[in-house]
Amino acid sequence: MARTARTLRRGTATAALVAATVTASLMAGCTTDGRPSDDGRGQTHSRSQEPDQRESPDPESAGPVLAVKIDNVRAARPQTGLDAADIVYAEQVEGGLSRLMAVYATRLPQAVGPVRSARESDLELLRQFDEPTLAFSGAQSKLLPLIDRAPLTAVPPESAASGAYYRSADKAAPHNLYLRPRRLIGTAPGADALTTGFRYGAPPEGGTPAKSRTVRFPSARFTFTWSADRHGWLVSMDGTPTAATDGRQVAATTVVVQYVKVRGSRFHDVLGNNSPYTRSVGSGRAQVLRDGRAFDVEWRRGSAAEGTDFTAADGTPVNFAKGQVWVVFAKA
């Protein structure tokens, strides 16, 4: 995968991104023969010891968001840095498994990972942001030209500054590649970079009390359980609590179950499984979980360059609770 991704960001930050190539040992597990580097299978290993220290938001910083593709098979857990993300998207990948995309704007953790490969659906989803930085490791060879042409800054390990990526000894490759976000974008750009269309404020009228909600993929499941003490939805994946590096369970203030069209794409994984394409442009139904209640809503995204509107049956915009948002793309 000796390929230098096209970088689009203006200014001196771009030069730093392409200044150096990471060592060959870092690239173990990445694409080398035109096939994707991951098949979603592996054995469980001990957790990474890399600390997850978060920095305070910088209200004067500006720039694009950082989006990181994060492994989500059992061998990759517990992940690092999920609790610091502003938004976590969950999408279906080959074999009915799941993968995450974490988006960072208001704060950056010390480390994020494990970092894994990109998918075609990511390009449509990321168009809502202004030239976002995409951190990923590997992609199907025919997808790489599409990533290069997309309006984003693509930074796989071989295009990043030295030390931006590293491998942990606590997990086996390819589930052990991590990113140091500050070596990629310097500082958090701030909430203004989150051009998702999401609205935050008072809860909508109505809704029904909800203690938990489970979303199932063919080979994965997400469960969100309301915690009044945390005032958030405790996240579990495949029946296991999703813990941060400090051991505390990740809690989202808002959860969106968004029903979308999922079709086959032109790409396949190393085993020949078709890569699903999750369509995030269009309209449909969704369920918003916040404040211990569930709200049935409609979603609409007119084009890839736009954010997504969530409205009640009467067309009233639906506010999210301030804090971390999880969006799970469920098949309509």
Side-chain angles (χ1 to χ4, degrees):
M1 189 172 137
R3 180 185 183 89
T4 301
R6 181 172 61 106
T7 55
L8 300 178
R9 185 182 300 176
R10 297 178 294 273
T12 58
T14 301
L17 291 176
V18 296
T21 300
V22 207
T23 61
S25 62
L26 179 65
M27 293 308 300
C30 293
T31 303
T32 58
D33 59 357
R35 299 178 300 179
S37 61
D38 54 292
D39 61 3
R41 293 155 177 81
Q43 297 180 348
T44 302
H45 294 267
S46 60
R47 66 189 298 171
S48 170
Q49 298 301 312
E50 183 72 19
D52 181 17
Q53 298 174 353
R54 299 179 300 190
E55 60 188 46
S56 299
D58 179 359
E60 297 183 358
S61 64
V65 300
L66 170 65
V68 185
K69 289 307 301 287
I70 298 180
D71 201 352
N72 198 33
V73 296
R74 292 185 187 275
R77 300 172 188 157
Q79 294 101 336
T80 297
L82 276 182
D83 54 330
D86 293 281
I87 307 168
V88 179
Y89 291 100
E91 62 179 344
Q92 185 181 153
V93 293
E94 300 81 14
L97 295 166
S98 64
R99 184 149 298 175
L100 307 177
M101 179 187 286
V103 177
Y104 299 87
T106 62
R107 55 188 178 180
L108 300 178
Q110 183 175 350
V112 177
V115 180
R116 291 305 295 273
S117 58
R119 295 294 186 274
E120 185 183 11
S121 302
D122 302 333
L123 305 183
E124 179 177 279
L125 182 61
L126 287 172
R127 282 286 307 278
Q128 64 190 302
F129 303 110
D130 183 15
E131 294 186 3
T133 297
L134 173 62
F136 67 103
S137 176
Q140 213 274 351
S141 61
K142 293 181 181 179
L143 178 59
L144 290 172
L146 300 183
I147 295 175
D148 281 347
R149 292 196 295 269
L152 53 79
T153 301
V155 194
E158 72 274 17
S159 298
S162 179
Y165 289 87
Y166 69 94
R167 287 199 180 271
S168 167
D170 294 332
K171 292 186 176 75
H175 311 290
N176 64 347
L177 181 66
Y178 292 83
L179 171 73
R180 298 181 177 98
R182 292 195 65 181
R183 299 199 184 189
L184 222 56
I185 66 171
T187 59
D192 288 346
L194 292 170
T195 51
T196 57
F198 299 171
R199 299 167 60 100
Y200 299 86
E205 298 290 336
T208 57
K211 293 183 178 180
S212 68
R213 177 73 160 84
T214 295
V215 185
R216 298 180 184 275
F217 291 178
S219 301
R221 73 181 188 274
F222 298 83
T223 299
F224 304 93
T225 304
W226 175 249
S227 169
D229 292 340
R230 297 280 302 275
H231 201 75
W233 299 88
L234 301 178
V235 182
S236 296
M237 296 186 288
D238 299 329
T240 302
T242 301
T245 308
D246 62 5
R248 196 181 194 206
Q249 191 169 0
V250 174
T253 57
T254 303
V255 175
V256 179
V257 182
Q258 185 173 341
Y259 292 92
V260 298
K261 294 180 180 179
V262 180
R263 58 169 174 80
S265 74
R266 75 192 87 172
F267 305 110
H268 297 77
D269 71 4
V270 67
L271 299 180
N273 298 311
N274 184 264
S275 297
Y277 187 97
T278 298
R279 183 73 169 157
S280 57
V281 171
S283 61
R285 64 187 180 94
Q287 190 172 64
V288 172
L289 309 177
R290 61 163 295 177
D291 303 314
R293 302 184 73 83
F295 301 87
D296 293 324
V297 304
E298 299 291 324
W299 70 270
R300 179 176 297 277
R301 186 180 178 201
S303 70
E306 300 177 55
T308 306
D309 295 323
F310 293 89
T311 58
D314 62 359
T316 303
V318 172
N319 293 330
F320 294 176
K322 186 177 181 180
Q324 185 178 80
V325 178
W326 278 63
V327 179
V328 181
F329 290 119
K331 187 174 183 179

